[in-house]
């Protein structure tokens, strides 16, 4: 088991808002993954804030805010506008349960039909084990949301988090010499952006990794409780 299975522990709206703040700015070239997407609520809430990008809009090439690198901060962070509007138009959910994957697809269809999700947004649900890299291509993910148990984070980390020696190989290898370029298999480390992937976890942190930001969010189903959301940058 990688993720909590009880519906009681589904990701609350307040945590999704914090995740949107951590992912800011989300642009048209971003691709958001929700690993263990359950009923699709994270995808729906994030996608509902997407607005079409016009030609007059500036291309925000830098993914990461300069003032958040290496902060390891637990203080309340500067908030995005309350609506958390963004330009991201591609979302992918991963769910191992056939029943839950169908529930997510049904909820997404309803949200589309009711215009909660705008027409320019694409949401795909992949019913597969999140560790099955033959079924799931993580290389295009620029934002990954994870609500997994600690064991799940340990298991998925090698897939979404390249080791230092792999990053060095990406920096030095020649794509033309490889049948399948390594850069298509991993995060685009050669990018000039400050970071090429933002990983956001709810409840549990990654072991032995420093987070960039941490924020506590209150949840409606537990009066007085506040649970953490963590942000990590993968260079």
């Amino acid at each position: 088991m990688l993720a909590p299975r009880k519906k009681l522990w589904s990701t609350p709206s307040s945590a999704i808002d914090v995740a949107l703040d951590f992912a800011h700015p989300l642009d048209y070239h971003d691709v958001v993954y929700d690993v263990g997407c359950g009923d699709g609520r994270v995808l729906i809430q994030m996608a509902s804030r997407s607005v079409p990008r016009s030609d007059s809009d500036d291309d925000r090439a830098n993914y990461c805010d300069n003032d958040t690198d290496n902060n390891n901060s637990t203080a309340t962070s500067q908030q995005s506008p309350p609506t958390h509007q963004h330009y991201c138009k591609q979302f992918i959910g991963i769910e191992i349960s056939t029943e839950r994957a169908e529930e997510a697809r049904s909820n997404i269809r309803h949200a589309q039909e009711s215009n909660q999700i705008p027409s320019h947004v694409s949401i795909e649900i992949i019913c597969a084990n999140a560790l099955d890299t033959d079924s799931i291509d993580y290389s295009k993910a620029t934002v990954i949301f994870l609500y997994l148990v600690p064991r799940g984070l340990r298991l998925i980390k090698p897939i979404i988090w390249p080791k230092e020696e792999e990053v060095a190989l990406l920096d030095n290898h020649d794509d033309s010499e490889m049948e399948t370029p390594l850069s298509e298999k991993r995060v685009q480390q050669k990018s000039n952006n400050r970071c090429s992937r933002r990983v956001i976890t709810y409840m549990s942190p990654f072991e032995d990794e420093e987070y960039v930001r941490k924020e506590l969010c209150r949840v409606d189903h537990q009066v007085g409780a506040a649970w953490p959301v963590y942000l990590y940058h993968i260079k």
Side-chain angles (χ1 to χ4, degrees):
M1 184 180 73
L2 302 183
R5 303 311 299 170
K6 294 182 179 179
K7 287 190 176 183
L8 173 64
W9 302 112
S10 296
T11 309
S13 177
S14 57
I16 303 171
D17 278 340
V18 172
L20 276 169
D21 181 37
F22 282 4
H24 177 80
L26 278 175
D27 216 334
Y28 69 97
H29 49 244
D30 281 307
V31 182
V32 176
Y33 278 53
D34 179 13
V35 178
C37 67
D39 61 10
R41 66 181 61 197
V42 172
L43 299 168
I44 291 170
Q45 185 168 327
M46 287 188 170
S48 69
R49 312 294 173 83
S50 179
V51 294
R53 184 180 183 275
S54 67
D55 293 337
S56 61
D57 291 319
D58 291 333
D59 182 14
R60 295 175 296 176
N62 291 325
Y63 291 176
C64 303
D65 292 337
N66 295 344
D67 60 353
T68 62
D69 267 353
N70 299 321
N71 268 355
N72 195 21
S73 172
T74 58
T76 302
S77 57
Q78 182 178 355
Q79 297 294 313
S80 301
T83 58
H84 293 97
Q85 286 188 341
H86 58 79
Y87 296 131
C88 182
K89 59 183 182 179
Q90 187 171 1
F91 299 82
I92 296 175
I94 313 298
E95 176 56 48
I96 193 172
S97 166
T98 302
E99 180 182 352
R100 294 284 271 170
E102 284 303 317
E103 182 182 7
R105 293 186 182 107
S106 176
N107 290 339
I108 290 166
R109 284 194 298 269
H110 181 268
Q112 290 169 332
E113 291 167 358
S114 63
N115 295 321
Q116 181 182 356
I117 297 175
S119 60
H120 69 279
V121 170
S122 168
I123 304 180
E124 177 186 4
I125 302 297
I126 300 174
C127 186
N129 188 316
L131 305 179
D132 182 0
T133 53
D134 289 331
S135 300
I136 304 165
D137 178 13
Y138 287 101
S139 66
K140 59 186 177 181
T142 60
V143 176
I144 300 178
F145 180 81
L146 302 166
Y147 179 15
L148 304 181
V149 298
R151 176 177 177 270
L153 292 178
R154 287 194 297 271
L155 290 173
I156 202 168
K157 183 181 176 182
I159 297 174
I160 66 170
W161 203 304
K163 297 178 182 178
E164 290 183 8
E165 55 266 28
E166 291 171 333
V167 173
L169 180 60
L170 282 169
D171 287 338
N172 295 316
H173 88 285
D174 182 358
D175 279 354
S176 63
E177 298 177 356
M178 304 181 65
E179 181 178 353
T180 302
L182 195 59
S183 55
E184 292 181 7
K185 297 294 185 181
R186 292 293 188 179
V187 191
Q188 295 177 355
Q189 298 290 343
K190 289 184 175 180
S191 169
N192 291 326
N193 297 320
R194 292 182 60 83
C195 78
S196 52
R197 177 174 289 171
R198 289 149 285 173
V199 178
I200 301 164
T201 71
Y202 173 56
M203 294 288 282
S204 299
F206 280 102
E207 298 174 352
D208 303 321
E209 294 291 346
E210 289 191 3
Y211 56 81
V212 175
R213 293 171 65 183
K214 172 185 175 183
E215 187 166 329
L216 300 176
C217 61
R218 299 193 179 278
V219 293
D220 293 337
H221 63 275
Q222 289 182 307
V223 178
W227 301 110
V229 183
Y230 301 88
L231 170 67
Y232 300 86
H233 287 170
I234 300 179
K235 302 286 185 178

